């Protein structure tokens, strides 16, 4: 066993920790399994607790600027008080439930450009806390997410970037303090009306809410503006739906009803890039039915080009 990181907060000769994930790949609603390996230092150590937590990078709107901060959004205490003898080796197994709203970081094995995710291990001894070990985590989409992302590609949209915005989308069941935006450049067939589309999933045990923000082009006598759509999808019919047709319908409906949305008071912007919009009354029942297996084969490939871990350096605090 290789112990990667000495706990600097406890000085030379202190205990060290290494967390090993059974599999760093997971999906929203599943679990991450692994074990925390402790190695005693030169003297006995009274450990108060051992905690693992999911951390990611979130864009935060300041007074006059936007900046990125590291945020822990889910944690689990894997051990209470224990005594670690000199040079003692101790393995503590854990199972960490992955929240349903955990953002997607990887699609078909490719890292989404802009996304970071890690599991951080904290050890507390005598009021000193060391966030000692950080392991990369890869969050893959659920089948319904994959179908919708694939539909955008089939319709010719090109992936641009993904990030997390601090704030809440009104009218959704969102529980985490941030939401993910997956941004696409418009395909040629939509280019006359749309510049870009931002896609957000708010996922729960009951299904997925899909929020679209379309950056509409201005017309001859009209200014450009954002148009919003909010759709609910059950896990059921993921395999039996023509998703390209469904997404095309969403886009056409979203971009055509901006006027009525604004008339109902839904046009105002809120947090981040305007996702505070209230969409509670604008729900289309698309795609109900039962989830089948995963797409295996058809690769999105270059559409989701990214690096396997270069962004992971963004966790330095």
């Amino acid at each position: 066993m290789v112990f990667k990181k000495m706990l600097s907060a406890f000085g030379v000769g202190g205990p060290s920790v290494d967390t090993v994930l059974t599999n760093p790949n997971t999906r929203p609603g599943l679990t991450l399994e692994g074990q925390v390996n402790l190695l005693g230092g030169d003297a006995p150590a009274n450990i108060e607790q051992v905690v693992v937590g999911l951390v990611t990078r979130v864009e935060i709107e300041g007074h006059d600027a936007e900046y990125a901060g590291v945020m822990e959004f889910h944690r689990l205490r894997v051990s209470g008080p224990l005594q670690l003898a000199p040079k003692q080796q101790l393995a503590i197994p854990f199972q960490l439930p992955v929240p349903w709203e955990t953002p997607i970081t990887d699609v078909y094995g490719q890292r989404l450009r802009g996304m970071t995710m890690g599991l951080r291990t904290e050890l507390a001894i005598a009021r000193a806390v060391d966030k000692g070990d950080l392991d990369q985590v890869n969050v893959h989409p659920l089948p319904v997410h994959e179908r919708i992302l694939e539909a955008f590609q089939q319709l010719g949209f090109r992936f641009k970037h993904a990030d997390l915005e601090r704030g809440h989308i009104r009218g959704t069941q969102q529980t985490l303090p941030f939401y993910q935006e997956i941004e696409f450049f418009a395909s040629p067939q939509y280019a006359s009306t749309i510049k870009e589309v931002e896609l957000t999933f708010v996922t729960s045990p009951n299904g997925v809410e899909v929020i679209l923000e379309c950056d509409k082009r201005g017309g001859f006598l009209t200014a450009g503006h954002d148009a919003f759509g909010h759709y609910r999808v059950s896990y059921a019919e993921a395999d039996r739906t023509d998703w390209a047709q469904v997404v095309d319908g969403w886009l056409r409906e979203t971009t055509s009803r901006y006027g009525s949305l604004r008339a109902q008071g839904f046009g105002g912007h809120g947090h981040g890039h305007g996702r505070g919009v209230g969409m509670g009354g604008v729900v289309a029942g698309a795609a109900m039915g039962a989830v089948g297996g995963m797409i295996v084969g058809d690769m999105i490939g270059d559409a989701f080009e990214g690096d396997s871990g270069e962004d992971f350096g963004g966790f330095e605090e």
Side-chain angles (χ1 to χ4, degrees), residues 203-233:
T203 307
S204 75
N206 304 314
V208 180
E209 295 177 81
V210 180
I211 296 89
L212 301 177
E213 180 177 344
C214 298
D215 182 3
K216 285 194 67 176
R217 294 187 184 278
F220 177 57
L221 294 173
T222 58
H225 55 254
D226 290 337
F228 296 86
H230 183 175
Y231 302 89
R232 298 185 197 276
V233 178

Side-chain angles (χ1 to χ4, degrees), residues 8-167:
S8 56
F10 309 134
V12 176
S16 61
V17 63
D18 177 39
T19 297
V20 178
L21 290 170
T22 306
N23 185 346
N25 299 290
T26 188
R27 299 182 198 278
L30 299 186
T31 59
L32 276 172
E33 298 184 17
Q35 64 182 36
V36 178
N37 297 306
L38 301 177
L39 177 62
D42 295 337
N46 289 309
I47 295 173
E48 294 167 5
Q49 65 174 5
V50 181
V51 175
V52 294
L54 286 170
V55 296
T56 189
R57 191 169 55 201
V58 178
E59 302 294 326
I60 301 167
E61 291 265 333
H63 291 298
D64 48 12
E66 188 173 71
Y67 62 96
V70 175
M71 179 182 291
E72 179 184 83
F73 63 95
H74 186 54
R75 65 181 359 224
L76 174 72
R77 190 170 87 154
V78 300
S79 174
L82 60 91
Q83 185 168 60
L84 198 62
K87 306 304 180 188
Q88 179 185 357
Q89 295 188 36
L90 185 62
I92 306 170
F94 65 86
Q95 286 189 321
L96 176 70
V98 177
W100 285 95
E101 290 175 37
T102 300
I104 295 163
T105 66
D106 290 70
V107 177
Y108 297 129
Q110 303 249 7
R111 175 62 51 124
L112 280 178
R113 199 165 47 247
M115 293 308 304
T116 60
M117 184 73 62
L119 183 76
R120 186 165 62 188
T121 306
E122 295 180 5
L123 210 57
I125 301 177
R127 300 197 187 106
V129 176
D130 195 290
K131 303 172 190 291
D133 193 26
L134 186 68
D135 295 87
Q136 180 166 329
V137 171
N138 311 312
V139 183
H140 299 265
L142 293 167
V144 68
H145 298 146
E146 285 187 339
R147 305 303 191 273
I148 293 170
L149 290 168
E150 187 179 57
F152 273 92
Q153 196 230 1
Q154 289 173 347
L155 293 169
F157 285 80
R158 288 185 300 115
F159 173 72
K160 176 186 176 184
H161 183 74
D163 66 8
L164 304 180
E165 296 284 339
R166 180 145 194 188

Side-chain angles (χ1 to χ4, degrees), residues 252-271:
R252 294 184 187 284
E253 184 179 14
T254 296
T255 54
S256 67
R257 69 183 177 197
Y258 171 80
S260 62
L261 273 178
R262 183 142 86 171
Q264 296 171 47
F266 291 134
H269 282 190
H271 299 287

